[in-house]
Amino acid sequence: QVQLVESGGGSVQAGGSLRLSCAASVSRDNYMWYCMAWFRQAPGKEREKVAHIDQGGITTYSDSVKGRFTISRDNPKNTLSLEMNSLKPEDSAMYYCAARGPYGVCRGDYNYWGQGTQVTVSS
């Protein structure tokens, strides 16, 4: 069982930066065995996977954020981060931390989700 709690959302002007954090509580296994990802969903739009990081630290990004966002994980601290730079109004959404595993690839359904943190970017 994995519990995820996000923090760090807020309001920022276009071109600004925010850093999201996710704290994971893992009752069994080890945090490092899970794929971790950030998703986002804006009102009226489908949920989008922004980025994921696998058990070995390999990262993958959506085209919409590539070059602007950086996902990272700290396994000893059971945390996940998303550094967001050059923010655009279209980045405004609820951002969710998610975990998949333990073991396996990072593509597919994620079985653990946080409650979300709101990011609003004004023009």
Side-chain angles (χ1 to χ4, degrees):
Q1 194 77 334
V2 179
Q3 293 183 322
L4 304 170
V5 178
E6 302 96 335
S7 61
S11 297
V12 65
Q13 289 191 328
S17 299
L18 280 174
R19 182 180 179 88
L20 305 183
S21 297
C22 174
S25 296
V26 183
S27 60
R28 299 189 308 174
D29 305 308
N30 192 311
Y31 172 73
M32 67 181 293
W33 297 341
Y34 288 82
C35 285
M36 299 300 299
W38 287 98
F39 289 77
R40 67 185 181 186
Q41 187 167 23
K45 294 189 176 181
E46 291 189 357
R47 187 171 61 199
E48 172 192 18
K49 184 196 280 187
V50 172
H52 74 241
I53 183 167
D54 71 11
Q55 296 88 338
I58 303 300
T59 58
T60 301
Y61 298 90
S62 68
D63 288 342
S64 60
V65 307
K66 198 173 295 182
R68 300 187 298 121
F69 291 12
T70 302
I71 188 172
S72 61
R73 65 190 297 166
D74 186 331
N75 289 335
K77 295 182 179 179
N78 284 15
T79 58
L80 178 73
S81 297
L82 184 69
E83 185 73 35
M84 304 185 295
N85 297 314
S86 302
L87 283 162
K88 305 175 181 179
E90 51 263 43
D91 294 319
S92 297
M94 186 71 78
Y95 283 71
Y96 298 91
C97 172
R100 173 178 166 86
Y103 309 113
V105 297
C106 291
R107 299 188 187 280
D109 294 337
Y110 278 67
N111 38 346
Y112 301 102
W113 294 84
Q115 82 289 350
T117 185
Q118 179 68 39
V119 171
T120 303
V121 184
S122 58
S123 57

